[in-house]
Amino acid sequence: QETDIAEMLEDVADRFSFQIRQKRISIGTIVRRDISTAWLDRDQIDQVLGNLVSNALKYTPEGGSIEIEAGHNSEGMLEISVRDSGIGIPKKDIERIFERFYRVDKARSRNMGGTGLGLSIAREIVKAHGGAISLQSELNKGSKVTFTLPLKTQRRDGA
Ligand code: ATP
Ligand code: MG
């Protein structure tokens, strides 16, 4: 359905407001000027965003920050990213991170809860919608997961 992108990003932040407050995380949403609304499968994309924000929260220590940003990429696709200032992911694990049940070293994941499915589900959904998902991360600095969706968008500048 036609979705207001800014509202969708704020909604996902609201869904996690309890944990955000509890961990004193600062969260921001940015919608670049080149996009306002888009046609998308709201339930499914909400699940992708939820999985990514849930990870960002889980793997970011108290007092950190999370930023969710949306805009067009150079191919005219909708591009949404979730960036955090968390623990990051070692280089050797990055390429396997979207596999089902894959979790970075059990010691650090043990206390976190979870099954290692969030990212693989996110990738399934994004692929099913004709998009792509990728992750950039630096150990002890943070991570950024970016996904794209091909779609009909309306530009605020009317172009
Ligand atoms: P689930 O999502 O099923 O509750 P999970 O969060 O462990 O469990 P995924 O979301 O698939 O599973 O993530 C896989 C692994 O990737 C995590 O266990 C964690 O080690 C690492 N990871 C994912 N997102 C981040 C992030 N933002 N920062 C640091 N590590 C991350
Ligand atoms: Mg997860």
Side-chain angles (χ1 to χ4, degrees):
Q1 56 267 50
E2 190 171 14
T3 299
D4 183 308
I5 300 295
E7 188 187 288
M8 177 173 73
L9 301 192
E10 278 151 31
D11 277 0
V12 69
D14 284 347
R15 258 195 280 156
F16 291 93
S17 58
F18 180 78
Q19 286 127 287
I20 289 167
R21 228 168 308 152
Q22 206 177 35
K23 285 186 89 173
R24 297 182 295 107
I25 301 279
S26 66
I27 189 157
T29 62
I30 301 173
V31 178
R32 299 202 294 266
R33 281 167 51 205
D34 58 4
I35 192 158
S36 57
T37 65
W39 285 88
L40 40 84
D41 186 337
R42 184 63 192 269
D43 287 352
Q44 298 265 294
I45 304 311
D46 272 341
Q47 193 182 344
V48 173
L49 282 168
N51 289 359
L52 301 185
V53 173
S54 141
N55 284 347
L57 264 168
K58 199 150 62 157
Y59 304 108
T60 297
E62 228 174 273
S65 61
I66 298 174
E67 203 162 80
I68 317 172
E69 181 171 353
H72 276 112
N73 71 4
S74 55
E75 291 153 21
M77 293 170 95
L78 172 64
E79 179 178 85
I80 301 181
S81 62
V82 177
R83 187 189 57 71
D84 65 61
S85 66
I87 59 178
I89 298 168
K91 250 200 191 83
K92 64 173 173 56
D93 295 298
I94 290 183
E95 59 177 38
R96 300 197 56 195
I97 214 73
F98 290 101
E99 291 174 20
R100 257 190 282 174
F101 304 115
Y102 193 83
R103 307 187 75 199
V104 176
D105 112 59
K106 297 198 178 70
R108 80 168 191 173
S109 302
R110 192 182 299 133
N111 310 317
M112 298 283 192
T115 50
L117 282 172
L119 284 178
S120 68
I121 292 167
R123 183 175 66 172
E124 297 271 302
I125 294 172
V126 169
K127 273 177 143 182
H129 287 80
I133 187 165
S134 63
L135 182 142
Q136 290 168 277
S137 186
E138 212 174 320
L139 198 56
N140 300 317
K141 290 228 171 114
S143 307
K144 181 178 177 184
V145 184
T146 303
F147 67 95
T148 59
L149 294 170
L151 35 70
K152 220 171 65 180
T153 52
Q154 286 170 0
R155 294 168 62 116
R156 277 195 191 134
D157 58 14

